[in-house]
Amino acid sequence: MLNPLAAPDAVEAAAEPLLDLLQDCDHEPFIELLHVVPVNGTAPGHDRMQSLAQAVYDAGGWGSGYQVPAPIRPFTSPGAWRDILRRQVTEGFMQPAQRWPAANLRTPDEIRRAGELADGVADLIEAHLGPVRSSGDVGGPHAYYIWWRNLLLVSDRWATILHLALSD
């Protein structure tokens, strides 16, 4: 397993080619991994995901002062976050063709490449954290985004938030 605390920088570098494919003239895409925190020491039980998300936000000041609402319901499948990431970059709102149907159309090869790059980012995250055992949508500060989605990712030992967004 790679160093979990190095995951945000590794994901930032790996996401660059994917972000280039998602870029259009009016919107800047973001695919970021927030701070990585250890799982041990968080509250057990049904509020565990909320306390983990709060720990991630509190760890680096990204969401300083933000209070995570409860409850955070885990996705039915632990791998759902991978499907969400892939879907967003191939057919979802992050794909420029979805925002501007008449302009910036991507070729099938570019869309396929975006899916492959998203899979690579997901693989890299799990190479750093270990297999994600639980994931779910979590709220978060989103002051200047026109669209965003934050996904809490929890492995056996580590937790983080995968931040997907578009800004003007």
Side-chain angles (χ1 to χ4, degrees):
M1 184 164 72
L2 300 174
N3 179 358
L5 301 179
D9 290 337
V11 168
E12 180 181 345
E16 280 184 36
L18 177 56
L19 294 173
D20 288 345
L21 282 174
L22 300 174
Q23 186 82 33
D24 67 26
C25 60
D26 293 328
H27 301 98
E28 183 176 358
F30 293 89
I31 297 174
E32 302 170 314
L33 199 62
L34 303 187
H35 299 280
V36 176
V37 299
V39 168
N40 55 345
T42 58
H46 72 282
D47 62 348
R48 180 172 183 247
M49 290 188 78
Q50 179 188 10
S51 65
L52 286 170
Q54 191 67 56
V56 171
Y57 283 133
D58 292 346
W62 190 83
S64 182
Y66 179 77
Q67 294 299 304
V68 175
I72 298 171
R73 290 178 178 71
F75 297 129
T76 318
S77 165
W81 69 276
R82 285 175 160 270
D83 297 335
I84 291 167
L85 172 60
R86 186 178 233 291
R87 195 172 31 241
Q88 279 304 322
V89 303
T90 59
E91 63 189 60
F93 198 67
M94 291 189 80
Q95 177 58 240
Q98 294 301 320
R99 297 188 305 273
W100 302 99
N104 295 321
L105 291 176
R106 300 300 193 240
T107 67
D109 283 343
E110 289 172 321
I111 292 171
R112 179 191 50 75
R113 181 75 178 131
E116 291 170 352
L117 290 168
D119 291 343
V121 168
D123 290 343
L124 181 64
I125 290 170
E126 290 193 313
H128 281 272
L129 304 180
V132 172
R133 304 287 187 206
S134 184
S135 60
D137 277 313
V138 62
H142 55 280
Y144 61 93
Y145 300 117
I146 60 170
W147 176 90
W148 63 274
R149 190 158 187 191
N150 290 342
L151 303 172
L152 176 66
L153 310 178
V154 182
S155 71
D156 289 337
R157 297 182 57 204
W158 304 98
T160 189
I161 293 174
L162 178 62
H163 172 69
L164 309 174
L166 286 170
S167 72
D168 281 333

